[in-house]
Amino acid sequence: MGVFRAMIARTFSAATSRSLRVCVVGSGPAGFYTAEKMLKAHEEAEVDIIDRLPTPFGLVRSGVAPDHPETKIVINQFSRVAHNERCSFFGNVSLGSSVSLSELRQIYHVVVLAYGAESDRVLGIPGEDLSGVHSAREFVWWYNGHPDLSQLAPDLKNTDTAIVLGQGNVALDVARILLRPPAELATTDIASHALAALKESSIRKVYLVGRRGPVQAACTAKELREILAIKDLYVNIKQDDLQITSADEEEMKNSRIRRRVYDLLSKASSSSQTHPSSGQPELHFTFFRKPDKFLESSDKSGHVAGVKFEKTTLKGSGNQIAAGTGQYEDLKCGLVLKSIGYKSIPVDGLPFDHSKGVVPNIRGRVVSSSDVGQPVDGLYVCGWLKRGPTGIIATNLYDAEETVTSISEDIKKKDLTSEFASGREGLLQLLENRKIKVVTFNDWEKIDSEEKRLGSLMGKPREKLTNWKDLLAK
């Protein structure tokens, strides 16, 4: 209670009655870029960032692969935003259970929703609920130490084959983590429980399966080069799959990325050995296949034993689509990771387009429906919740610029600060009344210091705290 009173007292002394009270829900790249741009654009703005997790930075912490430390450097920029005297971070505050959207809209002049996509698209085919079938998001959260998935315990010991559905960057990430020598991962910030499981892993063969062809593979050249560079890796790509059509040529003509990816796959195919040697890790790029059903093990009831695929062919021109041929084949495996897309979750009182998985909006202004509805006063959206789960970290920078521009335009039309909003002190009072333990940025820095201390003892940059109890104890 003393912590709350101290924060509220500081808030009153720092803020004026004319402060623009802004709440950003979500502390990933979209949230922090929005906060940064609001603070720069409006000197009278007081910005509070809330997140359901005790830790900030969203997918930079829980989504970026542990062997990509350079991508995480953006955390330094976000930390500078959090240290701004007009900005506060409040972790362990969940939209919906800790505080409702309608309450936030009463407390703040402006609410920006930037909480991303914390669920998964589903295939809707038989056997999807079998043990051993996971989403790539779950697997990524597991090896990155996300507190919700630290107990996932995927079975890596009782099978030598994993199938990854999808060929985007996330699919390549999970395949790389499965195939890369654990000794190389030991010096990263990978969660210890994941490293221990990977050291005991029996998986030596990974299939990356896509509905379309190599020209349409959704990964970037950078990610593809990285997985192809794994030490002593056998790469298998069928020569027939590399045959291209005039429609493929047109796609590559219009996209340098697709041309580069295709060229890398062609080169990998031609330079690869004919057969793998004993014990050699294997990566199989499998094209023109769509999953039809997951096959249950006859020996282990309720567990996946393979995937039945329908062969496909491409139809149309421009953005070609995969069509089934009525021909099928089975691939045996004991682990399936579905990398078919993240999905945002709606909250009460929020317009939501379930078919697209986004909040209907016009340049970041939330509207009452997708059919050019009326803007909802004071309510905005940014990031994956705004555009869908696409793009890289920097994409959120431009996304935030657009949303903040819309906010600024609306403020010019209507002086929001003429209306009373309790802002930070109102939120903190509400959370205190509900006995919710708030994790401040200062608390996060204690977690950060402890993780780095533990990591230094193990020869790694940090040893993540991976359960709620430990994170909330700091």
Side-chain angles (χ1 to χ4, degrees), residues 106-124:
Q106 290 169 17
I107 293 170
Y108 290 92
H109 294 118
V110 171
V111 175
V112 184
L113 302 174
Y115 60 78
E118 290 199 323
S119 186
D120 309 287
R121 290 177 57 196
V122 295
L123 288 164

Side-chain angles (χ1 to χ4, degrees), residues 51-65:
D51 199 292
R52 75 174 187 88
L53 291 180
T55 55
F57 312 130
L59 284 182
V60 181
R61 178 178 167 92
S62 63
V64 173

